[in-house]
Amino acid sequence: MLSDDTASGIAARVAERWRRIDPLLPPAAHQTSPHCGAPLVITDDGAVIAAGRCEHWAAAPGSLDLSWGAARRFQLSTEVAGPGVADGLGRLLVAWREHLASVPDAGDADTAAVLNWPSRDADGIATLLKHGLDPLEVIAARPTRRRPAAGPGSVTPNGSVLRLDGHTVLRRAGAADTDVVARLGLEIIRFDARFGAVNERPNTLTALRHEVAGLLAGPAPWTWLAERDGEAVGMLAAQPPEAAAWIAPMTGTVPAAYLMLMFVAPGERGAGVGSALVDEFHREAEAAGVAVILLHYEQLNPVSMPFWSRHGYRPLWTTWQAAPASAIR
Ligand SMILES: CC(C)(COP(=O)(O)OP(=O)(O)OC[C@H]1O[C@@H](n2cnc3c(N)ncnc32)[C@H](O)[C@@H]1OP(=O)(O)O)[C@@H](O)C(=O)NCCC(=O)NCCS
């Protein structure tokens, strides 16, 4: 087990390294998530050069988490100080692989070995690939103050609409829209299920309804619908900072909001509906003083990365995974 002294020693060196790599990364503080206690500490000439904690995580039955990945995930948080990042990370991954080999159910079908690696920490990438991990998802970030949203500041109050053309309007969603927002959310999960990490489960729509009901409960939800002749053709749903606390520690910039769901119907794509939804959300987030917006996209989704990049987002963390968990080499 990593002692607190060892942890704080390496944490300071990782913090220094991360500051140089990417100013949006958090200070590499002592990791607080629960972990199994496996001794994942790599030394070189007596100095700790890499350390990890393995969390044995299981999705709550019926939860939306089940749709975002494997039901059971062995999640490694890493602290790799360098010099010799590739070597330190490689030895840490070997130690993790040996630990997972001792866990009887790490070979079960619905499991994955998962770790987040700073996207700009290029020195680790070849090592992650060599050990059988795939870069399936990205947490992207958009520092709002450096890139003001396009267009005039016209946040849609409840009940008013922004006319995109003669047939299409954009409006803020409310509690009465729970079903339609959940249904469009299901379309995202179905679309993204092609790209290796996301799964539609028997309870996905029910879990989405529950999640969306929470998003739409407040007085001015950060959720918008685009409607063509009265039919919903696009949707964006986001969490303001008070609801995004679960992901905020992935960056040192505060306050952070989270863009959770975004979808435009296939026949409507490429006509600016997605951009209009994003611009509206950006105006609202900036007016609320949000400093950074985070979102997930699937690395292999061919429309995601170009779209988000055009709207000011760039990779912050890459989520690497091997499934089943025992597939890590
Ligand atoms: C990503 C997505 C929301 C974008 O919505 P959209 O309404 O197509 O967005 P826009 O029309 O504003 O912009 C799309 C860009 O792709 C181009 N494009 C052209 N034809 C396109 C098509 N058939 N499909 C998608 N994009 C197309 C557009 O010209 C535009 O490029 P530009 O900004 O350089 O002009 C939409 O493609 C989608 O719902 N994809 C499936 C779900 C998904 O990927 N969600 C995001 C999860 S992270």
Side-chain angles (χ1 to χ4, degrees), residues 65-91:
D65 280 332
L66 274 166
S67 301
W68 300 133
R72 276 178 306 140
R73 299 171 212 167
F74 298 89
Q75 304 184 139
L76 185 71
S77 56
T78 61
E79 291 179 295
V80 181
V85 165
D87 175 55
L89 175 61
R91 289 169 59 196

Side-chain angles (χ1 to χ4, degrees), residues 165-298:
D165 61 33
H167 296 277
T168 313
V169 298
L170 190 156
R171 68 169 174 88
R172 195 188 296 273
D177 299 306
T178 301
D179 279 353
V180 72
V181 173
R183 186 172 50 73
L184 293 174
L186 181 63
E187 294 305 316
I188 301 173
I189 287 173
R190 287 181 174 162
F191 189 82
D192 276 347
R194 295 164 166 93
F195 309 119
V198 171
N199 304 296
E200 183 181 354
R201 308 275 187 173
N203 68 304
T204 294
L205 186 57
T206 309
L208 270 168
R209 274 202 199 98
H210 183 73
E211 184 76 31
V212 168
L215 289 173
L216 297 180
W222 285 17
T223 299
W224 289 265
L225 282 168
E227 293 174 326
R228 169 179 277 273
D229 298 328
E231 186 174 338
V233 294
M235 175 271 286
L236 181 155
Q239 294 176 315
E242 56 275 19
W246 65 276
I247 195 167
M250 299 306 281
T251 177
T253 303
V254 290
Y258 180 67
L259 200 169
M260 179 178 279
L261 301 168
M262 168 95 201
F263 186 76
V264 172
E268 306 287 334
R269 288 179 197 157
V273 172
S275 296
L277 285 162
V278 169
D279 288 347
E280 192 63 6
F281 165 54
H282 286 171
R283 279 190 283 268
E284 176 105 4
E286 283 164 24
V290 165
V292 65
I293 301 171
L294 303 177
L295 58 80
H296 279 90
Y297 67 76
E298 304 306 298

Side-chain angles (χ1 to χ4, degrees), residues 87-222:
D87 175 55
L89 175 61
R91 289 169 59 196
L92 181 62
L93 293 176
V94 168
W96 191 35
R97 181 187 72 205
E98 284 166 3
H99 162 59
L100 292 177
S102 73
V103 177
D105 51 6
D108 289 1
D110 204 355
T111 63
V114 183
L115 69 85
N116 287 315
W117 186 254
S119 300
R120 290 186 175 179
D121 198 351
D123 288 346
I125 291 173
T127 305
L128 292 160
L129 287 168
K130 188 175 127 200
H131 286 275
L133 291 149
D134 297 319
L136 292 187
E137 297 186 303
V138 170
I139 299 175
R142 179 185 189 275
T144 52
R145 289 188 190 117
R146 283 177 23 204
R147 283 181 194 273
S154 68
V155 175
T156 44
N158 288 357
S160 80
V161 298
L162 186 68
R163 190 158 292 283
L164 303 185
D165 61 33
H167 296 277
T168 313
V169 298
L170 190 156
R171 68 169 174 88
R172 195 188 296 273
D177 299 306
T178 301
D179 279 353
V180 72
V181 173
R183 186 172 50 73
L184 293 174
L186 181 63
E187 294 305 316
I188 301 173
I189 287 173
R190 287 181 174 162
F191 189 82
D192 276 347
R194 295 164 166 93
F195 309 119
V198 171
N199 304 296
E200 183 181 354
R201 308 275 187 173
N203 68 304
T204 294
L205 186 57
T206 309
L208 270 168
R209 274 202 199 98
H210 183 73
E211 184 76 31
V212 168
L215 289 173
L216 297 180
W222 285 17

